[in-house]
Amino acid sequence: MLKNISILVLLGGVLVACGGGSGLNGIASLGSDFARAFAQDRNDEPISLAGVSLPQFPTREPFNP
């Protein structure tokens, strides 16, 4: 139970941290590869990381709590 709550809090933090004014919010700001991995069923075959890319935004203010 504590593990499930911890995972939910962590995922909530990621979603809040990814919000921004660039038009992309939440998971969409991490790219289509991340969204596809996040949306898949946990019992599906793992996604190969060979072609996965995460967008980088060097001009965006970094998340620093």
Side-chain angles (χ1 to χ4, degrees), residues 2-62:
L2 182 60
K3 181 180 177 182
N4 290 341
I5 292 172
S6 299
I7 291 171
L8 288 174
V9 169
L10 179 67
L11 290 176
V14 167
L15 290 175
V16 169
C18 291
S22 66
L24 293 175
N25 291 321
I27 293 174
S29 68
L30 296 175
S32 61
D33 291 325
F34 185 86
R36 182 172 49 99
F38 190 80
Q40 81 172 11
D41 187 79
R42 65 178 149 181
N43 293 323
D44 286 347
E45 287 292 320
I47 294 174
S48 173
L49 298 178
V52 173
S53 64
L54 291 176
Q56 297 181 10
F57 303 100
T59 58
R60 183 181 288 178
E61 184 178 334

